[in-house]
Amino acid sequence: MRTTGPTTIWRDIVQYRRVYLLTAVASFGGMLFGWDTGLIGGVLTMDSFKNSFGLDSKKDPAGFANLSGNIVSVLQAGCFFGAMSSFYLSDKLGRKKTLLLADAIFIIGSLVQTLCALGSGDKLPQLYAGRVIGGFGVGLISAVVPTYISENANKEIRGRCIGCMQLFNVTGICLSFFVNYGVNQNISSSDTAQWRVPFALQMLPGTLLFIGMLFQNESPRWLVEKNKIDQARKALATVRSRPVDSLDVKQELDEIVEDFQGHERMPLMHQLSATFSDRKVFYRFAMAVTLMFWQQWTGTNSINYYAPQIFKSVGLAGQSAGLFATGIYGVVKICITALGLMLATEQLGRKWCLIIGGLGQAFAMFYIGVNQAVNPVIAGAPLNGHSTFAIVCVYLFVVFYSLGWGSTPFILSAECAPNHVRALIMAAALMTQWLFNFVIAKLTPIMLAEITYGTFLVFGSACILMVVYTVFCVPETKGVPLESIYMLFEGNIIAGATRDTIPKKARAKFLTNASNIEPDVKGKESGGEHVERVEAPQGKFIT
């Protein structure tokens, strides 16, 4: 386990300053879609917004719940297709140019949302169009940013860097929460500026992303894949803060080139064939997709999109009180995500972050659900102890989510995807995320209205299932060089992943220094299955 302290952290920042700068710039992509995620729930509660679009939550609550789901979830539809296109665009244009293109699309979508409902006629289609356009840019960015960061970051800080996208994401959510609270307090509900300001301000992180990316290097691994070796060497030297002819740069570039031998510029059908015909590569593909599926079924986006309504359902009355509580929720999320990336991702490991996070989330969701079942909220009644703790559990949920399932699925998906099919796997993973983000956004208001407390019991049960999946199916990857992660998927993958649950026996610690590993491939035919064993420095074997 790596030691952590102010001196160590500062040394890391100085040593890997170029990587951290690149990470911070690219992670503004996380902030812009976090902003949209957080703003829409608060905007839907504003009378100014309802008046602009002719919505009435009192006369037709069921219709309003359905329409709210449509307004929120149409963004995810755009995100799904944006993530789908990420494979082709990031492979064809490169990671950097794709991010610039996606950001421009997002800004156009934000402009449409900000300026819609200015004239007469049916106004909702304008809002839907803006959200689909913006969603396309968001989905494209969300798939490319983890890939871009993982292909640039050093193995020592790779998990922390990939997770920074989630840190910026929750920062965007938090800022949008407080913007909603601020405009609700200071702008009249009769003024459409009350809901236009939050939409307009989400263009700020988009602008910062565009400007910052102009000064960043392209992914060295993408350049190698396109056989642009000299450009890859310069890009790698830039991000490592080393001379182009340094031994470190040469050694890492040689490892990347060797890993890509025979895989350069594979067309889509060849990548699909390579993914689905190889059991080990398909497992990594399926794991990335499954992690993103589980991330959405934690229930986190139910709270992100509908936090004011959820706080009301557990007994917190008043629109301003709900918006303020939502803002504090965002602050907690930022703090715990930052602490988790700093103190747990590279120390505790990916696997245990997911296990601890899942168990904590399950407890919080089950308590909220059970409390609502046996202690239903009575309008106008003061909060009792049980309801107060239910509110605390909303914050407890985000503590555990931010520790594990917030950032770790992005980290593992980007790390475990082989270099030559990483764009394809990340596209599939983020398509899954946005598909079920869409499902959750659409279902949550209906579930809260129809099955009430059962909503939280469903999410709590899902959290238990995802912990079981993590124990038996997810390997530990902390500190393993990107080109060596394939070793964790050799032999009996389930047995190896289960073994990784015990830190002292985790295979990753034998693979943290690639230069010390001599792969001793001893082919064994057992029932027709070829088994590879990797000899570790201590004389132990990783099966």
Side-chain angles (χ1 to χ4, degrees), residues 38-90:
L39 76 84
I40 194 63
V43 165
L44 285 170
T45 67
M46 296 178 185
D47 290 336
S48 59
F49 182 81
K50 296 175 187 177
N51 294 336
S52 293
F53 293 94
L55 308 177
D56 195 330
S57 58
K58 295 180 179 178
K59 290 184 179 179
D60 184 15
F64 179 74
N66 182 62
L67 200 57
S68 296
N70 291 339
I71 292 171
V72 173
S73 59
V74 73
L75 179 95
Q76 281 70 45
C79 290
F80 177 85
F81 291 104
M84 180 188 293
S85 70
S86 68
F87 163 71
Y88 175 79
L89 291 174
S90 67

Side-chain angles (χ1 to χ4, degrees), residues 65 68-70 72-73 76 301-302 305-306 436-446:
S68 296
N70 291 339
V72 173
S73 59
Q76 281 70 45
N301 277 321
S302 293
Y305 292 129
Y306 304 105
F436 285 95
N437 196 319
F438 171 89
V439 171
I440 295 298
K442 178 66 177 172
L443 289 181
T444 295
I446 300 172

Side-chain angles (χ1 to χ4, degrees), residues 74 156 180 195 203 225 241 336 397 413 428 477 499 502 516:
V74 73
E156 293 86 356
N180 284 345
W195 63 265
M203 288 184 277
E225 184 182 9
S241 301
I336 302 302
F397 169 85
S413 297
T477 61
R499 168 184 169 179
I502 304 172
N516 290 337

Side-chain angles (χ1 to χ4, degrees), residues 75-206:
L75 179 95
Q76 281 70 45
C79 290
F80 177 85
F81 291 104
M84 180 188 293
S85 70
S86 68
F87 163 71
Y88 175 79
L89 291 174
S90 67
D91 181 67
K92 189 76 173 177
L93 304 178
R95 319 309 192 206
K96 177 179 176 178
K97 289 181 180 179
T98 300
L99 285 175
L100 290 170
L101 173 64
D103 192 32
I105 294 172
F106 167 79
I107 291 173
I108 292 171
S110 297
L111 278 170
V112 173
Q113 292 176 77
T114 303
L115 300 176
C116 68
L118 285 175
S120 58
D122 195 353
K123 301 168 184 177
L124 276 173
Q126 302 171 35
L127 179 63
Y128 289 151
R131 289 185 66 73
V132 169
I133 295 170
F136 186 91
V138 166
L140 185 50
I141 287 170
S142 68
V144 177
V145 168
T147 300
Y148 178 66
I149 294 175
S150 71
E151 292 180 345
N152 278 281
N154 306 69
K155 63 181 173 56
E156 293 86 356
I157 58 170
R158 188 179 60 239
R160 182 181 299 151
C161 288
I162 299 172
C164 275
M165 186 183 79
Q166 178 65 11
L167 176 60
F168 276 63
N169 180 17
V170 299
T171 301
I173 292 173
C174 179
L175 289 173
S176 68
F177 286 162
F178 278 109
V179 167
N180 284 345
Y181 177 73
V183 296
N184 187 69
Q185 292 291 98
N186 296 289
I187 300 179
S188 170
S189 61
S190 62
D191 188 346
T192 62
Q194 188 185 56
W195 63 265
R196 294 187 195 277
V197 168
F199 280 119
L201 286 177
Q202 71 178 341
M203 288 184 277
L204 178 59

Side-chain angles (χ1 to χ4, degrees), residues 522-535:
K522 301 180 181 180
K524 289 189 176 182
E525 298 298 324
S526 177
E529 181 183 7
H530 178 69
V531 180
E532 292 184 354
R533 300 176 68 186
V534 182
E535 189 169 4

